[in-house]
Amino acid sequence: MSDTPPQNPDYDTMTRDIAEVPAVEVIVTVAVNLMSAAAVKLGLTEEGDEHKDLDEARKLVTALAGLLDASTTEISSFHAAPLRDGLKSLQLAFREASLVPDEPGQGPGEKYTGPVYG
């Protein structure tokens, strides 16, 4: 057992670090994290169905679509285009994974993107 007291995070340093990160980088990082989480919940990882949960995936894909809809003009097409492609892939994967697919326009995030067709 160590006699060293637990270290508290240096919140001032963390705040300064966050202040230096451009907004575009924060938005893209959040989008990529949402995409990754959605892929896991869709069973698209090596573990496959082990973590599959379509209800959770729907929430994540919808959140991603809302974020991209709200931020597309802020992050430029250079960043937005691949994120939109990834979103569409997730939406199509959701439709394929569903036992009873949603009607076009009713799938996750489609209120922001419009209907997604394969």
Side-chain angles (χ1 to χ4, degrees):
M1 198 178 234
S2 173
D3 292 330
T4 309
Q7 294 185 353
N8 293 326
D10 182 359
Y11 292 112
D12 289 336
T13 301
M14 290 171 59
T15 301
R16 278 192 299 271
D17 290 344
I18 291 169
E20 295 171 7
V21 178
V24 169
E25 190 174 325
V26 173
I27 293 166
V28 170
T29 299
V30 170
V32 169
N33 285 330
L34 287 168
M35 291 175 90
S36 297
V40 169
K41 296 298 184 179
L42 284 167
L44 301 177
T45 61
E46 288 182 12
E47 292 83 23
D49 289 346
E50 184 178 335
H51 301 290
K52 190 172 183 178
D53 184 335
L54 294 183
D55 184 52
E56 291 289 303
R58 178 183 293 278
K59 293 171 188 171
L60 292 162
V61 172
T62 299
L64 174 62
L67 174 64
L68 293 181
D69 183 54
S71 64
T72 295
T73 58
E74 305 299 326
I75 63 174
S76 81
S77 61
F78 174 78
H79 296 289
L83 294 173
R84 281 193 305 263
D85 291 344
L87 171 60
K88 182 177 179 182
S89 294
L90 290 169
Q91 289 171 312
L92 291 171
F94 184 92
R95 185 175 303 283
E96 186 176 302
S98 298
L99 294 176
V100 180
D102 296 312
E103 292 294 320
Q106 302 302 309
E110 290 184 11
K111 69 180 177 182
Y112 300 108
T113 63
V116 174
Y117 301 100

